[in-house]
Amino acid sequence: MKQKSRIWSNYKSDYKPILEYAKENQIKLIGTNVPRRYANAVYHQGLSILDSLSDYAKQFFPKLPIQIDTTIQIYQEMLMMMPDHSNANMIYSQGLKDATMSHFILKNKNADEIFLHLNGSYHSKNKQGILSFLKDYPLEKTITIQTVLRDKDHDIDFSSSDYTIIKI
């Protein structure tokens, strides 16, 4: 996996321990995110670029067309946070990631099992992002947990998730 992907800088601290635990205990792991090259293509060329991709490439994201609500709060926040990178394509790229993750969650979720999904905060903040694509799945059956570093200079937003773990 390390050779074929660009691993996040927080992989070792935030993802590796749980992945190693799952591997050691033979717990099924499922990669749900779209390959970065397709999200990157959308960021640079727009959502319509997905139509021109091969059938092979299209297996890595939901069936087209993908409807992305660009007005949801977290997408608008992202635009304001990164004004130098702000354009609709940034939202479409993030929306493609969220739609793809929700697609593969639903495809792999068994009714009698708990599905633990690890993702960055903007993919589930305020039960938006991924959860906005789970329209037919009851949101009351989801729990969001955020982890934050304790920072004396900033208040923690406890309202953006159901539970908060504070790392000291």
Side-chain angles (χ1 to χ4, degrees):
M1 179 185 89
K2 289 183 204 175
Q3 288 91 6
K4 296 196 180 234
S5 63
R6 289 184 285 166
I7 293 182
W8 292 98
S9 60
N10 63 340
Y11 167 76
K12 202 173 195 176
S13 63
D14 295 358
Y15 294 94
K16 185 177 180 184
I18 200 158
L19 295 176
E20 292 296 323
Y21 177 84
K23 192 167 110 177
E24 289 168 14
N25 291 280
Q26 299 178 341
I27 298 171
K28 182 167 71 169
L29 293 171
I30 295 156
T32 61
N33 206 347
V34 68
R36 195 176 291 190
R37 64 185 166 274
Y38 304 127
N40 221 13
V42 168
Y43 176 75
H44 291 289
Q45 299 171 57
L47 201 54
S48 62
I49 192 66
L50 298 176
D51 293 320
S52 67
L53 297 177
S54 70
D55 288 341
Y56 173 78
K58 290 177 182 177
Q59 72 179 324
F60 296 107
F61 47 83
K63 186 178 178 188
L64 299 174
I66 299 170
Q67 301 300 317
I68 298 170
D69 180 357
T70 60
T71 66
I72 64 173
Q73 178 188 353
I74 59 166
Y75 293 159
Q76 292 303 308
E77 281 181 22
M78 289 176 72
L79 285 177
M80 289 189 287
M81 284 173 45
M82 297 185 265
D84 295 345
H85 302 288
S86 301
N87 64 48
N89 287 347
M90 185 177 91
I91 292 175
Y92 292 137
S93 177
Q94 182 76 5
L96 172 63
K97 294 173 189 178
D98 292 337
T100 301
M101 287 188 254
S102 70
H103 170 76
F104 286 111
I105 289 169
L106 291 174
K107 189 174 180 179
N108 291 283
K109 165 90 177 82
N110 294 320
D112 59 339
E113 292 179 338
I114 293 173
F115 192 104
L116 174 64
H117 190 264
L118 302 177
N119 54 262
S121 63
Y122 272 86
H123 293 292
S124 58
K125 183 179 180 184
N126 299 330
K127 292 206 175 197
Q128 296 176 8
I130 296 167
L131 284 83
S132 68
F133 290 95
L134 298 175
K135 293 176 177 56
D136 296 329
Y137 189 81
L139 289 182
E140 63 271 5
K141 289 191 173 189
T142 64
I143 296 172
T144 57
I145 303 168
Q146 70 172 332
T147 57
V148 294
L149 282 172
R150 182 168 170 238
D151 183 350
K152 294 175 189 162
D153 297 329
H154 296 94
D155 291 334
I156 296 171
D157 178 8
F158 291 99
S159 68
S160 63
S161 64
D162 296 313
Y163 297 94
T164 301
I165 298 170
I166 303 170
K167 189 175 179 180
I168 300 176

